[in-house]
Amino acid sequence: MGLFMLRRVDALWAAARTVEVSPRHPAAGERSVMVGDSGEIAELAGLLEVDLSADAFLCMCLGDVDFTVRGEMGRELGVLTYHMSSSLDWRQWDGQFPLLRPADLAGWLVGRGVITPRPTAWPV
């Protein structure tokens, strides 16, 4: 039988029970949302998938939206930060990685009122 190892980010999602999605600098009408349904957590995990084979990069901004992942008893497991430049940051990584589906993630965030439409900030 072969050995199967989870990547750290996969283990994070496997242990997730809730995800608080919060804009870092909320504009009028923007709000935080709590995701607790396992199907919606899985959907969000897919939208936050990054290309880990790409070169990690660093920018000087703090990011735009935080995804605080919590496990059993509300214990914080990690905070992923979305940069509307179409990348994702996590302290476990040494930099940001490009999102695989940035437009889909932006649509998810707009649909839930976390961010307002900002077409010029979204990748094409």
Side-chain angles (χ1 to χ4, degrees):
M1 180 175 204
L3 179 64
F4 177 73
M5 298 287 292
L6 285 177
R7 297 175 301 169
R8 278 189 267 174
V9 71
D10 295 330
L12 173 78
W13 290 116
R17 297 298 173 263
T18 63
V19 181
E20 182 179 0
V21 185
S22 307
R24 283 192 154 225
H25 311 285
E30 296 180 342
R31 64 190 179 98
S32 296
V33 297
M34 185 67 73
V35 177
D37 174 75
S38 60
E40 196 167 25
I41 290 173
E43 175 188 12
L44 190 54
L47 293 172
L48 292 171
E49 189 175 0
V50 297
D51 180 359
L52 290 172
S53 67
D55 291 330
F57 59 94
L58 297 171
C59 74
M60 299 304 289
C61 78
L62 298 175
D64 301 294
V65 177
D66 283 337
F67 298 84
T68 304
V69 181
R70 297 187 186 280
E72 295 294 328
M73 305 295 290
R75 183 174 152 254
E76 185 178 298
L77 302 176
V79 178
L80 299 131
T81 302
Y82 169 56
H83 297 255
M84 285 203 231
S85 61
S86 76
S87 63
L88 192 69
D89 189 13
W90 183 29
R91 287 186 201 125
Q92 298 293 323
W93 301 326
D94 291 322
Q96 299 164 228
F97 287 96
L99 287 158
L100 297 178
R101 290 172 288 286
D104 293 339
L105 176 59
W108 189 96
L109 292 167
V110 167
R112 284 153 183 82
V114 177
I115 61 172
T116 53
R118 298 176 192 156
T120 57
W122 295 353
V124 253

